[in-house]
Amino acid sequence: MADTVSTVITDAVTQANVKVLAESPAMSLSNLYQTISQSLSLSAQNAVTAQQQSNIIHQTTTTQGVSLIYSIDTTAEGDVTGKLLRADTADVLANVLGVVNALKDLK
């Protein structure tokens, strides 16, 4: 067995090692760029989702607020009418009867 190594083999191994060493910075930077771009795109996606959810909440609260505004008078009238109908005093019932008869005459 020979104790010397062929110069062709040492040149091939040296060139392979140099190639690996030369490509390492480029590979590490490409991995870094991919990680950063993925993180930024995920952040943008989360921002869009949060904005959509916020818009849904704002629409819901606006709808409930408008519904509440429109139902205030109806609720107050219903409450007063209910109190009048539950009243047992003769003068209140006579007033209600008078209002009903006046409304009939308007038709």
Side-chain angles (χ1 to χ4, degrees), residues 5 16 22 36 53 55-56 68-69 72 75 86 89 99 101-102 106:
V5 179
I36 290 173
Q53 296 299 321
N55 285 337
I56 291 171
L68 182 63
I69 289 171
I72 287 176
T75 304
R86 286 191 303 269
T89 58
V99 170
N101 288 332
L106 292 176

Side-chain angles (χ1 to χ4, degrees), residues 86-101:
R86 286 191 303 269
D88 289 335
T89 58
D91 59 335
V92 172
L93 293 176
N95 288 338
V96 171
L97 187 58
V99 170
V100 171
N101 288 332

Side-chain angles (χ1 to χ4, degrees), residues 33-91:
Y33 290 154
Q34 285 180 344
T35 304
I36 290 173
S37 65
Q38 186 177 7
S39 297
L40 288 175
S41 62
L42 189 59
S43 297
Q45 183 180 5
N46 287 340
V48 168
T49 302
Q51 187 177 18
Q52 288 173 343
Q53 296 299 321
S54 175
N55 285 337
I56 291 171
I57 290 171
H58 290 161
Q59 288 175 355
T60 304
T61 55
T62 302
T63 303
Q64 286 181 345
V66 169
S67 176
L68 182 63
I69 289 171
Y70 283 146
S71 68
I72 287 176
D73 292 335
T74 306
T75 304
E77 290 173 1
D79 187 39
V80 170
T81 304
K83 286 180 183 178
L84 286 175
L85 292 176
R86 286 191 303 269
D88 289 335
T89 58
D91 59 335

